[in-house]
Each structure stands twice: as structure tokens, then as C-alpha cells.
């Protein structure tokens, strides 16, 4: 069994430099997350556009088949 002296405290104090580094990292992660959300929206728009184009193309092909 381990003694109580080997147990790390639950709350560890960080230096000002470490806190600033963590803040900057968290801010970067937040920006990245936002950017990925925007990118996902753009990909969804593009996917819907491609589906619409494919449906239009298939409709036109069917129309051309019916004409002949």
C-alpha cells in the first residue's frame, strides 16, 4: 500500500507561464473547432449541390431517352 505522502494533490498549481500556455492552447482548439464546423457546413452545401446536379442530369438523360 502507498503512503499518503505519495498521493498527488487533486488541484495542482500551475505557474503563470503554464496557465498562459494552456489558455493559448485552449483558444487555438476553440478556433480549430469553429473552423471545422464551418468546413462541415460548406461540405454539406457542396454535397447537396452535387445531388441536385445529379438529379437534374438524370432527369435530362431520361428526357432525351423519351424523345427518341
Amino acid at each position: 500500500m502507498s503512503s499518503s505522502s505519495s498521493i498527488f494533490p487533486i488541484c495542482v498549481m500551475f505557474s503563470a507561464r503554464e496557465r498562459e500556455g494552456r489558455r493559448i492552447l485552449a483558444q487555438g482548439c476553440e478556433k480549430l473547432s469553429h473552423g471545422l464546423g464551418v468546413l462541415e457546413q460548406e461540405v454539406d452545401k457542396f454535397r447537396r449541390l452535387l445531388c441536385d446536379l445529379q438529379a437534374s442530369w438524370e432527369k435530362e438523360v431520361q428526357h432525351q431517352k423519351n424523345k427518341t
Side-chain angles (χ1 to χ4, degrees), residues 4-66:
S4 62
S5 63
S6 66
I7 298 175
F8 290 103
I10 294 173
C11 179
V12 178
M13 298 299 291
F14 295 106
S15 70
R17 187 177 194 173
E18 289 172 318
R19 284 193 307 270
E20 179 65 8
R22 288 172 179 262
R23 184 192 67 75
I24 291 170
L25 181 61
Q27 189 178 41
C29 289
E30 186 177 323
K31 287 180 180 180
L32 181 60
S33 178
H34 174 74
L36 288 174
V38 170
L39 183 59
E40 286 176 347
Q41 290 174 356
E42 292 301 313
V43 168
D44 287 342
K45 286 180 193 176
F46 187 68
R47 187 176 289 126
R48 286 192 301 270
L49 175 63
L50 286 177
C51 288
D52 291 346
L53 287 172
Q54 183 179 9
S56 295
W57 177 257
E58 290 172 355
K59 185 187 276 187
E60 181 61 27
V61 167
Q62 190 64 39
H63 178 72
Q64 292 298 324
K65 283 182 181 179
N66 291 339

